[in-house]
C-alpha cells in the first residue's frame, strides 16, 4: 500500500481542532461562569485564558522551528532533557494522558446526548458510563479501519467525525 504525504488545509485544521479544542470547551464555560459570579468577569477570564493559550501555541511553534524533527513532544523533550525523560514522557502519554483525555471526551459526549432524554435532572450515572463505553468501543474499530485504508479515507473519516 502506497502512502501519500499530501494533507489538505481542511485535514490539518480538523486535526488541530480535534486535538486541541477537544471537549473541554463544552465543559468549561459553566464552571467559569459559576465561579466568577458575573458575565463580565467570566469574559475577562476567557480573554486572559485565550491570551495564555496563544502564548503557549507561539512557544510550541518556536520549538517546532528550532527543533525540526518529527515526533512532536517526544522529540522536543528528548532533544532538550535527554532520552530517559523523553521515554518517560512517551510512556506517561500512552498509558495516562491519551486514555484519560479520550475518556473525558466520551463522557462529555454521552452527557450531552443524554441531557435531552433527562431534561429535569442529571442523566443517570450508569447510563452515562454505558453510552461512553459504547462510544469507545465503536470509535476504535472505525479509526483502525480508516488507518488500514488510504490516507484520503482516513482524512475523510477524521473530518466527518469532527464536524
Amino acid at each position: 500500500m502506497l502512502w501519500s504525504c499530501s494533507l489538505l488545509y481542511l485535514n490539518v485544521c480538523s486535526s488541530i481542532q480535534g486535538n486541541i479544542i477537544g471537549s473541554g470547551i463544552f465543559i468549561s464555560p459553566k464552571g467559569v461562569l459559576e465561579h466568577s459570579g458575573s458575565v463580565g468577569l467570566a469574559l475577562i477570564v476567557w480573554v486572559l485564558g485565550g491570551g495564555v493559550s496563544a502564548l503557549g501555541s507561539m512557544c510550541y511553534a518556536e520549538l517546532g522551528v528550532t527543533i525540526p524533527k518529527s515526533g512532536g513532544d517526544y522529540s522536543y523533550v528528548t532533544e532538550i532533557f535527554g532520552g530517559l525523560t523523553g521515554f518517560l514522557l512517551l510512556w506517561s502519554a500512552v498509558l495516562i494522558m491519551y486514555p484519560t483525555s479520550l475518556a473525558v471526551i466520551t463522557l462529555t459526549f454521552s452527557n450531552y446526548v443524554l441531557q435531552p432524554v433527562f431534561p429535569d435532572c442529571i442523566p443517570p450515572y450508569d447510563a452515562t458510563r454505558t453510552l461512553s463505553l459504547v462510544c469507545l468501543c465503536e470509535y476504535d474499530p472505525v479509526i483502525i479501519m480508516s488507518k488500514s485504508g488510504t490516507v484520503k479515507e482516513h482524512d475523510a473519516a477524521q473530518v466527518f467525525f469532527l464536524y
Side-chain angles (χ1 to χ4, degrees):
M1 170 181 325
L2 184 62
W3 289 87
S4 66
C5 294
S6 61
L7 290 175
L8 300 175
Y9 182 72
L10 180 64
N11 303 127
V12 174
C13 287
S14 65
S15 177
I16 291 170
Q17 288 173 354
N19 290 332
I20 294 175
I21 295 173
S23 65
I25 196 164
F26 300 112
I27 299 172
S28 302
K30 180 180 177 184
V32 170
L33 190 57
E34 285 176 354
H35 293 295
S36 65
S38 70
V39 176
L41 187 57
L43 289 174
I44 291 172
V45 168
W46 274 103
V47 168
L48 290 175
V52 170
S53 180
L55 287 174
S57 66
M58 285 186 237
C59 290
Y60 200 73
E62 182 71 24
L63 271 175
V65 171
T66 305
I67 305 171
K69 293 182 178 178
S70 61
D73 295 339
Y74 171 74
S75 61
Y76 304 149
V77 170
T78 302
E79 181 77 21
I80 295 168
F81 297 111
L84 177 64
T85 310
F87 175 78
L88 293 174
L89 171 76
L90 189 63
W91 274 99
S92 66
V94 168
L95 295 176
I96 299 169
M97 290 183 264
Y98 297 145
T100 55
S101 174
L102 193 56
V104 168
I105 290 170
T106 56
L107 284 170
T108 303
F109 172 77
S110 63
N111 194 20
Y112 279 112
V113 166
L114 291 174
Q115 196 65 47
V117 179
F118 302 97
D120 298 330
C121 62
I122 298 173
Y125 179 85
D126 291 336
T128 305
R129 298 312 188 261
T130 303
L131 182 58
S132 180
L133 182 64
V134 168
C135 291
L136 282 173
C137 291
E138 289 299 319
Y139 177 77
D140 285 341
V142 169
I143 296 302
I144 290 168
M145 288 172 50
S146 70
K147 286 188 188 272
S148 66
T150 65
V151 173
K152 288 183 180 181
E153 291 170 356
H154 178 262
D155 290 342
Q158 181 177 3
V159 170
F160 173 77
F161 283 114
L162 180 66
Y163 297 109

